[in-house]
Amino acid sequence: MLKTIGLMSGTSLDGVDAAWIETDGTRIAALGAAETLEYGADLRADLRRLLDLAPTLAADDPFLHSCVARLTKVHVLATKAVIARMDDTPDLLGFHGQTILHRPTERRTWQVGDAALLAQATGVPVAHDFRSADVAVGGQGAPLVPVFHAALAADLEKPLAVLNLGGVGNVTFIGANGDLLAFDTGPGNGLLDDWAQRRMGMACDRDGVLSRAGTVDYDVLTRLMADPYFDKPGPKSLDRLDFSARLANSRVEALSTADGAATLAAFTAKSVAAACLPARPRRWIVCGGGRLNPTIMAELRLRLGVPVEVAEDYAWAGDAVEAQCFGFLAARVHAGLPLSFPGTTGVAHPLTGGRIVAAR
């Protein structure tokens, strides 16, 4: 068993989650401390700007280098906070980095972050670059968390769906025989976060205060759901900004702040309900920041027709699941085990990936 710390800075752009996990990449021996360090407002704004610039951004761009150095520093601090809490030193870190571009049809995915700097600053080897090998051979490169969801849910009744709601939503379906199917469902919190920021200067619709005060515009919702993405079978994946670019034709901008927020929350839930799964799950378990939005959760329960629960109902750490996952995947990189599978990213056969940078 390896002692690892997984690090995740997701598409919500809110900060870094770091979590301790002891694993061989197949079994979970123990879960330990977890920490979340939020990005400062300036870094969050700059990372959001990177998303817009990424399609034409040069790798040597000074603004990019500044962002990478600053976000890596937050990862260093998060790692050291977990080490201090555990009073132990991990064998390996799993460093996802910050996704700023994801275009698998062009065989491009771009996660930024300085793995060598992280290894040097912490004195711990770093597994990173988890997605590029998959995308290079025509896979979607996402989601990578399904194999970890399956390990977490090993003793739970199947079929089961695990839903992660970050900036983008993704589902893992675990069949009665353990087969995996996974894909991005549509927007998670990303559209709603951007709406709250644009209309109110708020980082997110915290506690559903905006969406709860509004009324869903079903004409706009129908327009949003007409996107051809929802007709594609999984595996499939999204860039954080894919739906942001398509809002103009939905007339959402004509809505009040509250009604727009309510409609975008309903869009997140309806896109999940539209997910084409091989069988009806006995229940859905929701992880990620979206589980904390009462409006989104109410919409999910309204539309899914089976119990919809949150990670904490199963003693999972809802904010730490994806960070734990990258500690788990780091152990799989170390062991040479596959990270992605035909049912999760669409690759032809189970595929290894990732690289390890030694500490200096």
Side-chain angles (χ1 to χ4, degrees):
M1 291 286 173
L2 291 178
K3 296 178 288 188
T4 74
I5 293 176
L7 296 151
M8 183 63 187
S9 44
T11 49
S12 291
L13 304 175
D14 49 359
V16 176
D17 297 320
W20 182 280
I21 175 172
E22 298 177 23
T23 179
D24 59 2
T26 301
R27 295 163 296 154
I28 301 169
L31 298 173
E35 291 281 347
T36 297
L37 292 188
E38 294 186 358
Y39 291 138
D42 289 347
L43 178 55
R44 179 171 180 156
D46 285 347
L47 291 174
R48 179 60 182 82
R49 183 181 167 208
L50 270 186
L51 302 186
D52 294 320
L53 296 174
T56 58
L57 196 64
D60 61 354
D61 185 275
F63 176 65
L64 172 63
H65 281 207
S66 169
C67 290
V68 167
R70 290 150 61 202
L71 77 88
T72 303
K73 181 178 179 180
V74 181
H75 283 78
V76 171
L77 294 174
T79 301
K80 290 183 175 180
V82 172
I83 290 172
R85 283 187 57 188
M86 295 300 297
D87 193 23
D88 198 358
T89 301
D91 302 304
L92 188 62
L93 306 181
F95 178 41
H96 176 267
Q98 185 71 57
T99 298
I100 63 170
L101 184 71
H102 186 68
R103 292 184 177 177
T105 57
E106 301 173 14
R107 302 200 175 186
R108 295 181 68 192
T109 188
W110 192 1
Q111 287 76 43
V112 299
D114 191 331
L117 176 60
L118 179 61
Q120 180 182 11
T122 60
V124 182
V126 176
H128 69 114
D129 191 23
F130 294 94
R131 300 188 189 272
S132 63
D134 184 270
V135 169
V137 297
Q140 290 291 309
L144 293 182
V145 72
V147 68
F148 180 62
H149 284 160
L152 274 178
D155 297 328
L156 299 182
E157 190 177 19
K158 319 280 189 316
L160 172 72
V162 182
L163 176 67
N164 180 67
L165 289 177
V168 171
N170 58 72
V171 63
T172 298
F173 174 85
I174 309 170
N177 59 359
D179 287 350
L180 296 177
L181 174 67
F183 53 89
D184 288 347
T185 55
N189 307 310
L191 294 181
L192 191 51
D193 288 351
D194 289 352
W195 181 265
Q197 178 64 50
R198 193 163 61 249
R199 290 295 187 100
M200 298 293 291
M202 298 164 54
C204 63
D205 180 27
R206 193 173 300 278
D207 299 321
V209 292
L210 292 179
S211 52
R212 194 168 44 197
T215 301
V216 176
D217 187 306
Y218 287 96
D219 178 61
V220 171
L221 182 58
T222 298
R223 288 172 179 270
L224 290 168
M225 288 301 303
D227 192 286
Y229 179 81
F230 300 115
D231 296 325
K232 297 178 183 177
K236 55 185 178 178
S237 63
L238 290 163
D239 182 80
R240 165 69 164 71
L241 296 188
D242 276 348
F243 282 99
S244 300
R246 301 169 192 173
L247 287 185
N249 295 328
S250 72
R251 300 181 183 172
V252 69
E253 292 294 347
L255 301 180
S256 70
T257 297
D259 288 353
T263 302
L264 292 174
F267 182 33
T268 292
K270 190 165 185 179
S271 65
V272 172
C276 185
L277 301 178
R280 186 181 180 88
R282 292 182 178 273
R283 65 192 68 250
W284 290 71
I285 302 175
V286 186
C287 309
R291 82 193 191 289
L292 303 177
N293 187 308
T295 310
I296 291 176
M297 291 300 296
E299 288 281 347
L300 287 170
R301 291 180 172 122
L302 175 69
R303 297 174 187 279
L304 290 174
V306 297
V308 178
E309 298 163 327
V310 295
E312 286 74 11
D313 292 329
Y314 294 89
W316 300 359
D319 288 326
V321 168
E322 287 215 321
Q324 292 167 347
C325 168
F326 282 94
F328 184 83
L329 294 183
R332 291 183 73 86
V333 173
H334 182 269
L337 296 171
L339 305 185
S340 55
F341 305 85
T344 63
T345 67
V347 287
H349 52 79
L351 189 70
T352 58
R355 295 181 288 152
I356 295 178
V357 174
R360 295 179 181 178

